[in-house]
Amino acid sequence: MTYIIDSNIFIEAQNTYYCFDICPGFWDFLSERFHSGELISIRNVYDEIANKDDVIFDWLRDRKHYFDSVDDENTQKNFAAIANYVQKEYSSRKPNNPNIASFLSVADPWLIAKAKTLSATLVTHEARAGNGSFKPKIPDICDKFGVATIRTNELLRNLQIKFIKEIKK
Protein backbone atom coordinates (compact mmCIF):
# COMPACT_ATOMS: atom_id res chain seq x y z
CA MET A 1 0.00 0.00 0.00
CA THR A 2 1.25 3.45 -0.91
CA TYR A 3 0.25 6.56 1.02
CA ILE A 4 0.57 10.04 -0.43
CA ILE A 5 1.05 12.83 2.09
CA ASP A 6 -0.64 16.26 2.01
CA SER A 7 1.27 19.34 3.18
CA ASN A 8 -1.07 19.79 6.16
CA ILE A 9 0.22 16.53 7.63
CA PHE A 10 3.71 18.00 7.98
CA ILE A 11 2.50 21.42 9.10
CA GLU A 12 -0.02 20.23 11.69
CA ALA A 13 2.41 17.62 13.03
CA GLN A 14 5.01 20.28 13.79
CA ASN A 15 2.47 22.78 15.06
CA THR A 16 0.60 20.35 17.35
CA TYR A 17 1.31 16.89 18.74
CA TYR A 18 4.41 15.78 16.85
CA CYS A 19 6.76 18.76 17.24
CA PHE A 20 10.36 17.92 16.39
CA ASP A 21 11.50 18.52 19.96
CA ILE A 22 8.70 16.49 21.58
CA CYS A 23 8.21 13.59 19.19
CA PRO A 24 11.28 13.03 17.03
CA GLY A 25 10.07 9.44 16.55
CA PHE A 26 7.27 10.70 14.31
CA TRP A 27 9.77 12.35 11.99
CA ASP A 28 12.01 9.27 12.07
CA PHE A 29 8.97 7.19 11.11
CA LEU A 30 8.23 9.49 8.16
CA SER A 31 11.86 9.34 7.01
CA GLU A 32 11.97 5.56 7.20
CA ARG A 33 8.70 5.09 5.36
CA PHE A 34 9.57 7.64 2.68
CA HIS A 35 12.83 5.72 2.20
CA SER A 36 10.98 2.38 1.94
CA GLY A 37 8.53 3.85 -0.58
CA GLU A 38 5.42 3.31 1.53
CA LEU A 39 5.04 7.08 1.85
CA ILE A 40 5.41 9.56 -0.97
CA SER A 41 4.37 13.09 -1.71
CA ILE A 42 4.57 15.35 -4.72
CA ARG A 43 6.77 18.25 -5.73
CA ASN A 44 3.78 20.63 -5.44
CA VAL A 45 3.58 19.86 -1.70
CA TYR A 46 7.31 20.43 -1.34
CA ASP A 47 6.95 23.78 -3.12
CA GLU A 48 4.07 24.83 -0.83
CA ILE A 49 6.16 24.11 2.25
CA ALA A 50 9.30 25.64 0.73
CA ASN A 51 7.58 29.02 0.78
CA LYS A 52 8.29 29.17 4.50
CA ASP A 53 11.80 29.06 5.85
CA ASP A 54 11.08 27.07 9.00
CA VAL A 55 11.91 23.82 10.79
CA ILE A 56 9.60 21.77 8.54
CA PHE A 57 11.33 23.01 5.42
CA ASP A 58 14.72 22.36 7.01
CA TRP A 59 13.63 18.73 7.51
CA LEU A 60 12.13 18.39 4.02
CA ARG A 61 15.09 19.95 2.23
CA ASP A 62 17.16 16.79 2.79
CA ARG A 63 14.26 14.65 1.55
CA LYS A 64 13.34 16.52 -1.63
CA HIS A 65 13.95 13.41 -3.73
CA TYR A 66 10.93 11.73 -2.09
CA PHE A 67 8.60 14.31 -3.63
CA ASP A 68 7.50 12.94 -7.00
CA SER A 69 6.86 14.83 -10.19
CA VAL A 70 3.32 15.08 -11.54
CA ASP A 71 4.52 15.23 -15.16
CA ASP A 72 3.58 11.66 -16.07
CA GLU A 73 0.80 11.17 -18.60
CA ASN A 74 -1.68 9.41 -16.30
CA THR A 75 -1.40 12.03 -13.56
CA GLN A 76 -1.87 14.76 -16.15
CA LYS A 77 -5.01 13.03 -17.48
CA ASN A 78 -6.37 12.53 -13.97
CA PHE A 79 -5.68 16.18 -13.15
CA ALA A 80 -7.57 17.28 -16.29
CA ALA A 81 -10.58 15.16 -15.28
CA ILE A 82 -10.47 16.57 -11.74
CA ALA A 83 -10.14 20.15 -12.97
CA ASN A 84 -13.04 19.70 -15.40
CA TYR A 85 -15.23 18.19 -12.70
CA VAL A 86 -14.41 20.91 -10.16
CA GLN A 87 -15.06 23.69 -12.68
CA LYS A 88 -18.36 22.22 -13.84
CA GLU A 89 -19.68 21.09 -10.44
CA TYR A 90 -18.67 24.05 -8.34
CA SER A 91 -19.59 26.74 -10.88
CA SER A 92 -23.07 25.19 -11.05
CA ARG A 93 -23.30 25.59 -7.27
CA LYS A 94 -22.16 29.22 -7.38
CA PRO A 95 -21.51 31.18 -10.58
CA ASN A 96 -18.11 32.93 -10.69
CA ASN A 97 -17.05 30.83 -7.71
CA PRO A 98 -13.58 32.06 -6.58
CA ASN A 99 -13.02 28.79 -4.70
CA ILE A 100 -12.51 26.95 -7.99
CA ALA A 101 -9.39 28.84 -9.02
CA SER A 102 -8.16 28.76 -5.44
CA PHE A 103 -8.45 24.96 -5.27
CA LEU A 104 -6.91 24.38 -8.68
CA SER A 105 -3.93 26.65 -7.95
CA VAL A 106 -2.54 24.61 -5.02
CA ALA A 107 -1.26 21.05 -4.58
CA ASP A 108 -4.66 19.57 -3.68
CA PRO A 109 -5.92 18.51 -7.15
CA TRP A 110 -2.45 17.23 -8.05
CA LEU A 111 -2.36 15.10 -4.89
CA ILE A 112 -5.68 13.55 -5.84
CA ALA A 113 -4.53 13.01 -9.44
CA LYS A 114 -1.29 11.33 -8.33
CA ALA A 115 -3.10 9.22 -5.72
CA LYS A 116 -5.55 8.03 -8.39
CA THR A 117 -2.69 7.26 -10.77
CA LEU A 118 -0.88 5.18 -8.14
CA SER A 119 -3.99 3.73 -6.47
CA ALA A 120 -2.60 5.32 -3.31
CA THR A 121 -4.40 6.44 -0.18
CA LEU A 122 -4.24 10.19 0.39
CA VAL A 123 -3.33 11.22 3.94
CA THR A 124 -4.81 14.61 4.81
CA HIS A 125 -6.37 16.47 7.71
CA GLU A 126 -8.79 18.28 5.43
CA ALA A 127 -12.44 17.60 6.30
CA ARG A 128 -15.30 17.01 3.93
CA ALA A 129 -17.42 20.04 3.14
CA GLY A 130 -20.32 17.92 1.90
CA ASN A 131 -22.89 18.25 -0.85
CA GLY A 132 -23.90 21.76 -1.66
CA SER A 133 -20.70 23.39 -0.44
CA PHE A 134 -19.21 26.10 -2.63
CA LYS A 135 -15.67 25.13 -1.66
CA PRO A 136 -13.97 22.03 -3.13
CA LYS A 137 -12.29 19.92 -0.45
CA ILE A 138 -9.85 17.04 -0.92
CA PRO A 139 -12.04 14.32 0.66
CA ASP A 140 -15.11 15.32 -1.38
CA ILE A 141 -13.19 15.27 -4.65
CA CYS A 142 -11.47 12.01 -3.66
CA ASP A 143 -14.87 10.43 -3.07
CA LYS A 144 -15.93 11.40 -6.59
CA PHE A 145 -12.76 9.90 -8.11
CA GLY A 146 -12.53 6.74 -5.99
CA VAL A 147 -9.47 7.77 -3.99
CA ALA A 148 -9.33 6.73 -0.33
CA THR A 149 -8.45 9.32 2.31
CA ILE A 150 -7.28 8.91 5.89
CA ARG A 151 -5.86 11.04 8.68
CA THR A 152 -2.51 10.71 10.46
CA ASN A 153 -3.86 8.57 13.30
CA GLU A 154 -5.29 6.08 10.79
CA LEU A 155 -1.97 5.99 8.93
CA LEU A 156 -0.13 5.22 12.17
CA ARG A 157 -2.62 2.46 13.02
CA ASN A 158 -2.50 0.97 9.52
CA LEU A 159 1.29 0.80 9.67
CA GLN A 160 1.25 -0.35 13.31
CA ILE A 161 3.35 2.56 14.53
CA LYS A 162 3.58 3.32 18.24
CA PHE A 163 5.63 6.01 19.90
CA ILE A 164 7.01 4.82 23.21
CA LYS A 165 7.79 7.25 26.00
CA GLU A 166 11.46 7.68 26.75
CA ILE A 167 12.33 8.87 30.24
CA LYS A 168 15.54 10.84 30.47
CA LYS A 169 17.28 10.97 33.80
Side-chain angles (χ1 to χ4, degrees):
M1 168 68 67
T2 302
Y3 298 93
I4 188 164
I5 309 298
D6 188 4
S7 56
N8 65 22
I9 299 302
F10 301 109
I11 295 164
E12 288 186 30
Q14 170 55 26
N15 292 341
T16 58
Y17 305 108
Y18 302 120
C19 303
F20 284 93
D21 61 330
I22 294 172
C23 193
F26 176 79
W27 301 93
D28 292 343
F29 149 73
L30 288 178
S31 288
E32 291 166 8
R33 299 306 170 100
F34 269 107
H35 183 73
S36 74
E38 288 174 278
L39 302 181
I40 64 162
S41 197
I42 58 173
R43 191 59 51 94
N44 310 57
V45 165
Y46 182 89
D47 292 342
E48 280 183 3
I49 295 170
N51 287 331
K52 299 175 182 162
D53 189 17
D54 60 10
V55 68
I56 300 167
F57 182 60
D58 289 344
W59 183 85
L60 288 180
R61 187 179 299 125
D62 295 333
R63 294 156 183 86
K64 186 175 184 177
H65 56 282
Y66 294 127
F67 290 77
D68 289 352
S69 166
V70 292
D71 294 342
D72 60 281
E73 185 177 344
N74 287 334
T75 301
Q76 292 289 318
K77 285 179 182 177
N78 287 329
F79 175 82
I82 290 163
N84 288 334
Y85 168 76
V86 167
Q87 289 172 343
K88 182 178 178 185
E89 179 65 26
Y90 288 85
S91 63
S92 73
R93 295 179 187 187
K94 181 179 180 181
N96 300 316
N97 187 343
N99 296 308
I100 296 168
S102 195
F103 178 80
L104 294 175
S105 69
V106 295
D108 297 359
W110 291 105
L111 279 164
I112 299 165
K114 191 67 164 186
K116 182 159 182 63
T117 298
L118 299 174
S119 298
T121 297
L122 203 159
V123 185
T124 184
H125 285 290
E126 197 164 288
R128 285 174 175 74
N131 292 337
S133 172
F134 299 135
K135 190 169 185 180
K137 293 293 205 169
I138 289 174
D140 295 322
I141 307 304
C142 282
D143 289 347
K144 175 68 180 168
F145 286 87
V147 173
T149 60
I150 61 173
R151 297 175 65 82
T152 301
N153 62 325
E154 295 167 289
L155 173 69
L156 296 172
R157 282 191 187 107
N158 288 353
L159 297 177
Q160 300 178 342
I161 302 301
K162 293 183 181 188
F163 301 114
I164 308 300
K165 180 174 72 170
E166 176 183 316
I167 300 173
K168 293 190 176 193
K169 295 182 180 191

